[in-house]
Amino acid sequence: MTATIALVDDDRNILTSVSIALQTEGFLTRVYSDGESALKALVENPPDLAVLDIKMPNMDGLELLRRLREKSAIPVIFLTSKDDELDEALGLAMGADDYIAKPFSQRLLIARIRAILRRTEATLPNAEGSEETPAEILERGRLTMDPARHRVSWAGNNVTLTVTEFLILETLAQRPGIVKTRNQLMDAAYQDDIYVDDRTIDSHIKRVRRKFRQVDPEFDAIETLYGAGYRFSDE
């Protein structure tokens, strides 16, 4: 099935050029020039992935993502200014799956879109008639993960994770007590040859912890081993 990509940016030149590039690669596109008009459309008729600019008038990309995450977990890529490290960190903390700094290569953007869509498809139930065996439900202590349905719960309470967050947590939970380096977590969550710095993985981990602490303030199952990486404890 052809994937639909929503583009939200107040720069019409970017909307036009990126839309044409995506359509050339076989994607369907929808374009919006501001966050306010995009929000209703993204909630009522969700695309497969959204690309949001951070710097927009009226409703910027961060506010758009905040409101979107209240009702939807669709994958999101942020477009940021080159030096907006704070915006990048905020975007990841609020639920973005990735970010790209302007000016950016359309080839890089398309590669990251494809990578995230593949990760999304990997968590969906098998198509009817598929001979593949569905991934088994993973249970570790109070944690339950259902890869086929992209569902996560902690002590019976549902926790909503993005695709990237799900894959990172799944990698940790598959082998409790074993330390996973940032590079190993990058390989699990970003399976293509795409550069992701350490801060990105750290931001994802912080966001996962925060989501679990919303249902259990005492959540401490993800341990940091400074200089080494992270591990999951099911005790």
Side-chain angles (χ1 to χ4, degrees):
M1 182 179 295
T2 302
T4 298
I5 311 300
L7 307 172
V8 188
D9 199 311
D10 62 328
D11 187 328
R12 293 192 176 276
N13 289 329
I14 289 179
L15 286 179
T16 300
S17 61
V18 174
S19 181
I20 291 174
L22 288 171
Q23 290 172 17
T24 300
E25 293 294 320
F27 294 102
L28 300 176
T29 61
R30 304 178 197 150
V31 298
Y32 307 93
S33 59
D34 64 88
E36 290 182 346
S37 63
L39 178 59
K40 183 177 181 181
L42 294 178
V43 171
E44 293 182 352
N45 188 17
D48 295 287
L49 181 145
V51 179
L52 313 180
D53 184 31
I54 285 186
K55 302 294 186 181
M56 294 186 293
N58 299 325
M59 182 188 295
D60 64 17
L62 292 172
E63 177 63 15
L64 173 57
L65 178 62
R66 185 188 70 78
R67 296 192 187 185
L68 183 62
R69 280 292 174 256
E70 293 175 353
K71 300 180 179 180
S72 173
I74 63 171
V76 167
I77 295 177
F78 259 137
L79 300 181
T80 74
S81 298
K82 185 175 182 179
D83 298 321
D84 285 345
E85 294 184 1
L86 178 60
D87 285 345
E88 293 169 1
L90 281 173
L92 290 173
M94 294 169 63
D97 292 84
D98 210 336
Y99 63 84
I100 296 178
K102 293 181 177 181
F104 60 89
S105 159
Q106 291 184 358
R107 181 179 178 183
L108 174 61
L109 175 60
I110 291 171
R112 293 198 179 183
I113 288 173
R114 291 191 184 282
I116 291 175
L117 289 177
R118 278 195 289 273
R119 298 203 306 271
T120 304
E121 292 170 359
T123 66
L124 297 177
N126 293 322
E128 184 176 354
S130 171
E131 296 182 358
E132 296 183 6
T133 301
E136 294 184 0
I137 292 176
L138 180 67
E139 295 183 340
R140 297 289 186 269
R142 287 173 283 177
L143 174 70
T144 301
M145 303 186 72
D146 184 348
R149 295 174 176 80
H150 190 64
R151 292 177 181 171
V152 182
S153 66
W154 179 259
N157 299 299
N158 292 330
V159 180
T160 300
L161 300 182
T162 66
V163 173
T164 303
E165 294 165 358
F166 189 99
L167 291 172
I168 289 174
L169 179 60
E170 183 181 34
T171 301
L172 290 170
Q174 283 174 339
R175 301 190 67 189
I178 302 299
V179 178
K180 294 292 184 179
T181 67
R182 289 174 176 82
N183 285 336
Q184 289 173 318
L185 295 176
M186 289 177 195
D187 290 342
Y190 296 87
Q191 296 169 358
D192 292 60
D193 185 18
I194 295 176
Y195 172 75
V196 180
D197 63 23
D198 288 354
R199 187 185 60 208
T200 301
I201 296 299
D202 293 341
S203 294
H204 284 308
I205 291 290
K206 289 177 182 178
R207 191 167 69 249
V208 170
R209 284 174 172 154
R210 183 162 51 248
K211 289 183 175 182
F212 276 86
R213 285 170 183 163
Q214 289 175 350
V215 301
D216 178 5
E218 303 300 321
F219 175 82
D220 61 356
I222 299 177
E223 302 175 358
T224 301
L225 283 85
Y226 293 98
Y230 298 95
R231 70 184 174 194
F232 182 86
S233 173
D234 60 352
E235 297 180 356

